[in-house]
Amino acid sequence: MHIARDGAVATVTLTRPNEMNRFDVPQEAEFIEVLKYLRRAEEGVRVVILAAEGKAFSAGGDVNTVRKFADDFGARANAVSKGLELMNELLSFPLPIVTAIQGAAMGLGANVAFATDIVVAWRQAKLADPHVKIGLVAGDGGAVVWPISAGILRAKRHLLTGDPITAEDGYAFGLVTDLVDSPEDVLPRAQELAAKIASLPPLAVQGTKAALNRLLGQRAGEVLELSLQLEGMTMASRDAVEATTAFIEKRPGVYTGT
C-alpha cells in the first residue's frame, strides 16, 4: 500500500496487482494503520483518494485463507476483530474519501469502496459481495453499506445470491456516484473531484462529513457487530469448507446446513 501527497490531497493506492489487491487480514491491518496515520499525521490533507494498481480494484478476501479458518478459532476471532475495526475506522474517518474503481471490486473490496464518500467507477467494472457463495454471512460491512445506498430489497437481492452487478447498475442503484467510459479515466476523474472538494472551505466540508458519519455510525451500530459475529460462526461451518473447496475445484457444492 502506497501513500502519495499532492497538496491537500493524499492518494492511498493498493499495490498488490498480482494478487488482485486482495483484502486479506494483513491488508486489512495495513489499511487500518494507513487510515490512523492520515488522521493524526498528515496536517493539511483535506481529501483522500483510494485507488488501486492493476486490472482489479480488489478481489476481496482470500478463499484459501477462509478454508483455514474452520480449524483455527484464533484466526477466526482475529478476522472478525479486524473486520470490525476496519469498518468502524472507515465509517468514522474525518476526511472525505474518493474511491477510484478501475476494475472488479468484490467482497470486502466492494464494501470498503461503498463505505467511502464518492465512488468513481469504470462503467463495466464488476461489483459484488459474494460471501454467501463461499458459505459465509455477508458480515464485513455488506449488511450496512448495501442497504443504505441501494435500498433494502436490492441489498437482499444481491447479498442473498452473491450475484454481481456492473458499475453501471451500481450507479442506477446508488452505490456508484460517477461513471467513466474506460479504466484509464477513473483516476483522473477521482483527482478532479478530490481537488474540487479540497478547494472548498475545510471546516464546512469536515463538519458535513462529521454529521454524515454520525448517521452511518448509528446504522452500523445496529447491525455491523452482529453480522461479523455471524460471519465468524459460519467460518467454522462444514458448508464454508465445502463451498471454498468447490470454488477452488470448480464444481457445484453440496451443502448440509452444518
Side-chain angles (χ1 to χ4, degrees):
M1 203 171 290
H2 178 259
I3 305 174
R5 175 86 179 266
D6 182 10
V9 177
T11 299
V12 177
T13 305
L14 307 180
T15 56
R16 298 196 300 170
N18 293 336
E19 298 173 350
M20 298 181 70
N21 298 309
R22 289 197 306 260
F23 259 107
D24 49 26
V25 173
Q27 180 90 332
E28 289 181 53
E30 184 178 3
F31 188 48
I32 290 167
E33 290 307 309
V34 166
L35 292 174
K36 289 181 176 178
Y37 169 77
L38 290 170
R39 277 181 186 261
R40 67 177 182 263
E42 287 294 287
E43 184 177 353
V45 171
R46 297 183 179 182
V47 186
V48 173
I49 295 172
L50 177 60
E53 294 180 351
K55 293 184 177 181
F57 175 76
S58 174
D62 180 5
V63 173
N64 288 305
T65 300
V66 172
R67 293 176 75 191
K68 297 174 184 177
F69 286 154
D71 298 318
D72 192 332
F73 173 82
R76 293 197 304 273
N78 184 53
V80 169
S81 175
K82 284 299 178 189
L84 182 61
E85 185 179 5
L86 186 154
M87 291 308 298
N88 282 333
E89 187 71 29
L90 193 55
L91 292 170
S92 65
F93 192 71
L95 303 175
I97 301 177
V98 181
T99 297
I101 299 179
Q102 87 292 2
M106 311 297 286
L108 181 56
N111 295 337
V112 163
F114 299 154
T116 62
D117 304 293
I118 294 175
V119 180
V120 180
W122 170 43
R123 64 177 62 249
Q124 295 303 319
K126 187 177 179 182
L127 313 174
D129 185 341
H131 275 69
V132 294
K133 290 187 174 182
I134 56 170
L136 301 181
V137 168
D140 55 11
V144 178
V145 296
W146 284 72
I148 287 176
S149 295
I152 190 65
L153 284 179
R154 281 174 172 155
K156 288 178 179 179
R157 167 65 178 83
H158 291 280
L159 294 180
L160 293 174
T161 63
D163 286 348
I165 59 175
T166 64
E168 200 158 24
D169 294 329
Y171 180 79
F173 291 176
L175 292 162
V176 172
T177 63
D178 294 77
L179 290 174
V180 296
D181 292 328
S182 75
E184 293 74 24
D185 294 332
V186 174
L187 186 56
R189 178 60 173 154
Q191 291 168 334
E192 178 186 339
L193 289 165
K196 182 175 185 178
I197 295 171
S199 71
L200 296 171
L203 295 180
V205 170
Q206 292 168 25
T208 300
K209 177 74 193 282
L212 293 169
N213 280 355
R214 176 68 65 87
L215 175 63
L216 290 173
Q218 289 175 344
R219 294 300 303 273
E222 296 171 359
V223 70
L224 180 60
E225 188 169 359
L226 172 63
S227 67
L228 278 161
Q229 289 173 349
L230 292 170
E231 182 179 2
M233 291 172 60
T234 51
M235 286 176 185
S237 70
R238 292 190 180 96
D239 279 354
V241 173
E242 167 64 7
T244 52
T245 302
F247 176 84
I248 291 168
E249 296 177 354
K250 302 185 186 307
R251 62 171 175 81
V254 179
Y255 306 117
T256 61
T258 58

